Amino acid sequence: MSKNVWVEAKQKKVKAIDTFAKEYCDFLNNGKTERECTDFIVNAIEKEGYVELEKLIKSGKSLKAGDKVYAVNMNKSVIMFNIGKESLENGMNILGAHIDSPRLDLKSNPLYEDTEIAYLDTHYYGGVKKYQWVTLPLALHGVVVKKDLSTVEINIGEDEDDPVFFISDLLIHLASEQMDKKGAKVIEGDQLDVIVGSMPLSSNKDEKEKEKEAVKANILKILKDNYDIEEDDFHSAEIEVVPAGRAREAGFDRSMILGYGHDDRVCAFPSFKAMIEAGTCERTACCILVDKEEIGSVGATGMRSQFFENTVAEIMALTGASSDLSLRRCLANSNMLSSDVSAAFDPTFASSFDKKNSTKLGHGIVLEKYTGARGKSGSNDANAEYLAKLRAVFEKDSVTYQTGELGKVDVGGGGTIAYILALYGMNVTDCGVPVLNMHAPWECISKADLYEAKCGYVAFLKNA
Ligand code: MN
Ligand code: MN
């Protein structure tokens, strides 16, 4: 049986939980996109002595136990290594999480005007309940890369003085037809267009010559004046529409955090913090923080890309083991925690969960043997032997853990990056933090679970 972390937590531990939660909120507030998370993490680990792989290769130095190195992939994902005392052929202890989150992306031709209101057209990213995204303050985060390859960073809607953006919903007075629709159709994908202006460009031209779309023209003028962006620059931009505002403590007891993007930053944060805290271990410690999990781990920056394998090959070569056989051995002998969120039991929707096999808020880090859907399809279904080892590792360091699976059989399901690493023949299981209202604009986690996750990851890197 799992237990509630708070029950036995002494004052000192409660303080540690709170301090860690504050640091995490700072990460959430500064990392609302995979690019922002990558920047934040690189800044943090460079201060801890991590050196960029490319720099190391150019310097001609080799790698030895205690060396810390990282590699960034296209500004959207990062892998870090702390070289252990044992040979890399014996395998690594790997933490893997993702730093992309569900959101709305701007289309390539986003800006238009309809009836003197200016809009940005979006295409949603990942699994979202579309009706949750209307009538919320929204912010724009991302980059516009111009033809000369200069990059304009966009971050509008977070400062107190910034404007915010929003998507309208139909007033209840006129919504009788809408309210009869299925949830999936109440708001449809193409209705998720963000309102960005309503003021026409003022001009001295007479009525006949005035701009046809003067509100859009005014927005274009503002974009040009403030950011030096032309309309066509949206063709080479990645701008994400996310909930505006910071993560907040939730509850009278402040035991929870309501924030955007807990999935999966609530695992990414304790993962890279654990790398720092664990220091140099017997086995090489590795942390993978990837992009594109929410759309199937595709693309050059997703887990299915060769980037991870190529980077491990580079690392091995720098330790003097450059054969393909050494690389195969290293990967096959590795242990991995696929650190991703689990669905916390929600009493309001109890019928969707199997209570005795659900995770509970405040009951610690989650060991999830399998994910998937419809008869475990798409899951890697971890080995009993590996799970036994992890139980022992957690218990040795007094880490509070629980087991769980995502909802009742055949109610739904989900996948993670676990099965991709399992392809190498390594031991992998899912191991993360329970989340309430996962994939909503504002998700909720327990501070206690966040802290236990960090403790669990440190124990894993040291002793697995
Ligand atoms: Mn996830
Ligand atoms: Mn997800």
Side-chain angles (χ1 to χ4, degrees), residues 55-168:
K55 265 189 210 155
L56 198 78
I57 293 173
K58 276 190 195 131
S59 76
K61 284 184 195 149
S62 58
L63 278 173
K64 57 180 188 318
D67 285 345
K68 294 174 256 183
V69 55
Y70 75 89
V72 169
N73 187 6
M74 298 180 182
N75 302 320
K76 296 182 201 176
S77 79
V78 48
I79 307 179
M80 46 199 290
F81 300 85
N82 191 331
I83 308 300
K85 294 167 196 154
E86 276 183 28
S87 158
L88 262 165
E89 273 195 29
N90 293 353
M92 304 181 284
N93 287 344
I94 305 170
L95 295 169
H98 66 93
I99 48 178
D100 61 317
S101 295
R103 66 196 185 231
L104 313 176
D105 286 340
L106 294 197
K107 290 184 181 178
S108 296
N109 288 304
L111 184 61
Y112 71 95
E113 173 176 340
D114 192 342
T115 326
E116 292 170 59
I117 296 177
Y119 290 89
L120 287 171
D121 202 346
T122 70
H123 195 135
Y124 66 98
Y125 173 98
V128 299
K129 286 180 164 178
K130 289 154 205 148
Y131 66 78
Q132 292 179 331
W133 288 77
V134 296
T135 72
L136 289 174
L138 299 170
L140 302 178
H141 289 240
V143 294
V144 179
V145 184
K146 302 208 285 186
K147 278 187 289 185
D148 64 1
L149 298 187
S150 64
T151 299
V152 182
E153 308 249 358
I154 302 290
N155 185 336
I156 313 165
E158 303 295 350
D159 274 353
E160 223 30 60
D161 293 334
D162 278 357
V164 292
F165 310 93
F166 70 102
I167 298 165
S168 65

Side-chain angles (χ1 to χ4, degrees), residues 1-5 359-366 400-402 434 446 448-449 452:
M1 283 300 283
S2 66
K3 61 179 189 203
N4 192 311
V5 175
T359 62
K360 292 199 190 90
L361 274 191
H363 280 231
I365 190 171
V366 179
T400 307
Y401 76 91
Q402 53 182 327
S446 159
D449 299 333
E452 292 302 317

